[in-house]
Amino acid sequence: MAPTIDSGSLVVLRGENNIDNWERALRIELEFAEVDDYVYKTVAEPSKEDKPDEHKKWKLGRVYALKIINTTLKDDKVLTTLRINGWDQSNRDPKYLFDLIKTTIGKVTNEARSEILEQYQGLRRSGFDSMASFLNQYELARRRVADSGLVIDDTVECLNLYNMVKRDYPTDAKLWANDMTKNTLTTNKLLAHLSTLSNTEARQSNLTIQVKTTAKADKDLNKSGTNNGDNDSGNSGRGKKNKNKLTCPTCNNTIQKDYIHCICGRHRSGKITTCWWCEPDKAPDTWPNKEEARKHNTGTTAALGNTNTTLANPATTGSALLFNGANFDASFNLASLGGNLGFH
């Protein structure tokens, strides 16, 4: 029967600062239980068929040694560091876990810290399909930096995060840069802004699906007929393919069966209750054609007489829905922030 673990003599591993005390107390407990060889040496597995008793002793010894080590792993930061570094919790070899602890927590070299920091600073929003994916990776890199022992001033961290996203969100970047100049923008505030953008992208992705469907239908419409009075010119030989189309009673164009003629001269699905071209004030500010639509509605652009165009909706990608793609590079640097900034 294995002896009871004396948890009072063990030291909970907190990190690099107490790893020497941790290992010293751990070794004493392992030696007392006579299972230290399973941690400090590679003990071959005996044959279960030829040597069943030795195999049972080997199996119980490994399990007990692993149990002793696990008793000392209670610190969340230590557990997170192990997981980040690929901890396979299904591995029942106590030597594997001990070696992993020593290599990942034992001594974080300057070279390792430099690599972690380089990976963190190299993140860019453009390298990810969505803001949500970027934020997940950013939080992971942020934890690795903290676990390596590096302490980053919040002003510098905020600037790092700003540089990671500024090219993809130039309009917002102007506002963020202004807030940084006033020293009113913190890392947590910027993360909150980015989280809002992430939620907006998720909502807009649903709209994008609808827009793409509408755009495809309108494209087919332009191919099959225009307002030249000859509605059959593009429909010969179509047969059953055009059974869901009809002639618009207003402009005589061939349109989808459920489409209606809007007062702006475009066609839209009857399921769409609001036309942004007719009522631009109801469109979100992220729609890139909002100002143009307003001009249409104030008479500066003759739009109502144009019946040869289709319903113009927002762009069909998440980023284009949010911004108009302007080539803005909000220049910002540490010098403009003032103060003594850097890594501690």
Side-chain angles (χ1 to χ4, degrees):
M1 182 176 179
T4 303
I5 298 176
D6 184 7
S7 58
S9 66
L10 292 170
V11 174
V12 174
L13 181 60
R14 303 295 182 188
E16 182 181 354
N17 292 336
N18 79 331
I19 194 167
D20 292 335
N21 291 335
W22 168 82
E23 185 177 359
R24 181 167 53 253
L26 177 68
R27 180 183 284 273
I28 292 173
E29 187 66 23
L30 291 170
E31 290 177 350
F32 178 75
E34 297 182 350
V35 293
D36 51 303
D37 282 351
Y38 296 106
V39 174
Y40 295 101
K41 298 179 182 179
T42 300
V43 181
E45 179 181 3
S47 171
K48 187 175 182 180
E49 291 76 18
D50 299 336
K51 300 178 180 180
D53 292 340
E54 290 186 22
H55 185 273
K56 182 178 181 180
K57 179 182 177 182
W58 172 85
K59 184 176 181 180
L60 290 176
R62 280 163 48 105
V63 170
Y64 192 70
L66 188 62
K67 186 176 181 180
I68 293 175
I69 297 175
N70 275 317
T71 302
T72 68
L73 302 179
K74 299 178 180 180
D75 186 88
D76 288 338
K77 186 178 73 171
V78 169
L79 293 172
T80 299
T81 302
L82 292 175
R83 293 189 190 104
I84 290 174
N85 285 276
W87 181 17
D88 179 7
Q89 298 185 51
S90 65
N91 192 321
R92 292 293 180 261
D93 184 0
K95 187 177 187 305
Y96 158 78
L97 179 55
F98 179 78
D99 290 345
L100 179 65
I101 292 171
K102 293 289 288 182
T103 56
T104 58
I105 298 176
K107 298 294 180 183
V108 181
T109 64
N110 288 332
E111 182 179 355
R113 286 193 178 98
S114 176
E115 182 178 350
I116 291 171
L117 188 60
E118 183 178 356
Q119 291 174 355
Y120 159 73
Q121 292 181 315
L123 290 175
R124 292 293 181 271
R125 165 63 183 88
S126 58
F128 298 87
D129 294 336
S130 66
M131 174 61 81
S133 297
F134 165 77
L135 288 176
N136 287 337
Q137 190 61 37
Y138 173 79
E139 288 296 342
L140 179 62
R142 194 184 188 193
R143 287 198 300 269
R144 291 193 68 188
V145 169
D147 292 338
S148 71
L150 286 170
V151 178
I152 305 178
D153 182 271
D154 186 74
T155 306
V156 175
E157 185 174 10
C158 185
L159 179 59
N160 285 336
L161 181 56
Y162 166 82
N163 286 330
M164 295 174 189
V165 300
K166 66 180 182 181
R167 295 183 185 277
D168 298 274
Y169 303 97
T171 303
D172 293 87
K174 292 179 180 179
L175 301 176
W176 300 333
N178 186 52
D179 288 343
M180 278 193 289
T181 303
K182 298 177 181 178
N183 293 322
T184 59
L185 186 67
T186 64
T187 302
N188 287 337
K189 285 183 179 179
L190 182 52
L191 283 172
H193 289 312
L194 298 181
S195 179
T196 300
L197 286 175
S198 177
N199 293 334
T200 301
E201 285 184 1
R203 290 194 300 269
Q204 293 287 17
S205 64
N206 295 327
L207 176 61
T208 298
I209 296 174
Q210 181 182 3
V211 170
K212 285 183 177 180
T213 302
T214 303
K216 183 179 184 303
D218 287 342
K219 183 177 181 181
D220 293 340
L221 225 162
N222 283 338
K223 289 181 179 179
S224 61
T226 61
N227 63 341
N228 57 7
D230 184 8
N231 292 307
D232 294 328
S233 61
N235 296 328
S236 59
R238 297 273 179 156
K240 294 182 179 180
K241 291 183 179 180
N242 288 327
K243 66 180 182 179
N244 291 324
K245 296 184 178 181
L246 50 80
T247 301
C248 175
T250 303
C251 65
N252 292 326
N253 275 330
T254 301
I255 61 175
Q256 292 291 104
K257 189 174 181 179
D258 65 338
Y259 272 37
I260 62 175
H261 189 99
C262 193
I263 60 173
C264 64
R266 296 169 172 80
H267 300 105
R268 60 180 171 86
S269 170
K271 297 178 181 179
I272 301 177
T273 59
T274 302
C275 173
W276 291 350
W277 283 100
C278 296
E279 300 179 87
D281 288 336
K282 292 186 178 181
D285 292 338
T286 53
W287 185 41
N289 295 317
K290 188 168 185 176
E291 290 303 319
E292 182 182 351
R294 281 175 171 165
K295 292 179 181 179
H296 281 228
N297 280 269
T298 56
T300 57
T301 303
L304 295 179
N306 183 1
T307 60
N308 193 30
T309 58
T310 55
L311 177 62
N313 275 309
T316 58
T317 61
S319 59
L321 281 165
L322 295 173
F323 302 103
N324 197 20
N327 293 320
F328 166 71
D329 181 8
S331 59
F332 208 82
N333 53 51
L334 288 171
S336 65
L337 291 172
N340 184 17
L341 308 179
F343 298 100
H344 307 304

